[in-house]
Amino acid sequence: MPTFDLAHEPDLVAAPTVLARFKRALNLSMAAVIVLAAVFFAQGQFNVQAFAIQPQVPAGLVGIRAAPLLHGSVAHLASNALSVPILGTLAGTVFPRATLRALPVIWLGSGLGTWLIATQGYHLGASGVTHGLGFLVFTLGV
């Protein structure tokens, strides 16, 4: 009967580290969803337009930091609440350092891009962040 020395299997040796990264990424992603939901249900208490991105208007720059936390409807919140844990957990597990460095750039970059090129109205939601996370996972995975 063959015996296997499991201590020399690189995949098995790394498994506890990967599991710990997965748990941390999942917990942080779920915390982000809870924050999104809490802000959504508190939106009736403040003027949402003051914190949304208003393109090419200096006062609309406030929205670059705040708009990803705001959502226009339950369906809009649900679509981002599904994407954030999937992409956040994947990015945080496989590329934890890159995700930590890229997330502020993605957050601010998607808002600034919206402020620069969008037209009229008020823009809000975490879709720019989720698309940025998807792009991060895709490009680092290639």
Side-chain angles (χ1 to χ4, degrees), residues 61-100:
L61 287 168
V62 171
I64 291 174
R65 291 191 331 185
L69 299 173
L70 306 171
H71 289 84
S73 67
V74 173
H76 186 202
L77 174 65
S79 66
N80 285 320
L82 180 65
S83 303
V84 166
I86 293 170
L87 293 168
T89 302
L90 180 60
T93 301
V94 181
F95 309 109
R97 284 191 214 117
T99 301
L100 188 61

Side-chain angles (χ1 to χ4, degrees), residues 53-56 117-123:
I53 297 171
Q54 189 176 7
Q56 300 152 13
I117 66 172
T119 59
Q120 302 177 348
Y122 296 90
H123 301 266

Side-chain angles (χ1 to χ4, degrees), residues 26 34 39 44 52 55 64 66-67 70 75-76 103 106-107 125 129 131 139 141-142:
L26 179 62
I34 291 169
V39 170
I64 291 174
L70 306 171
H76 186 202
L103 200 52
I106 291 169
W107 187 291
V129 176
H131 286 82
T139 54
V142 173

Side-chain angles (χ1 to χ4, degrees), residues 1-97:
M1 186 176 227
T3 59
F4 298 100
D5 186 9
L6 298 179
H8 291 74
E9 286 290 326
D11 292 337
L12 295 177
V13 171
T17 304
V18 173
L19 182 59
R21 284 195 321 228
F22 172 78
K23 287 179 180 179
R24 182 176 55 241
L26 179 62
N27 287 334
L28 289 171
S29 296
M30 293 309 293
V33 171
I34 291 169
V35 168
L36 292 178
V39 170
F40 177 75
F41 290 112
Q43 283 179 188
Q45 307 302 316
F46 59 91
N47 179 11
V48 174
Q49 290 181 347
F51 297 100
I53 297 171
Q54 189 176 7
Q56 300 152 13
V57 174
L61 287 168
V62 171
I64 291 174
R65 291 191 331 185
L69 299 173
L70 306 171
H71 289 84
S73 67
V74 173
H76 186 202
L77 174 65
S79 66
N80 285 320
L82 180 65
S83 303
V84 166
I86 293 170
L87 293 168
T89 302
L90 180 60
T93 301
V94 181
F95 309 109
R97 284 191 214 117

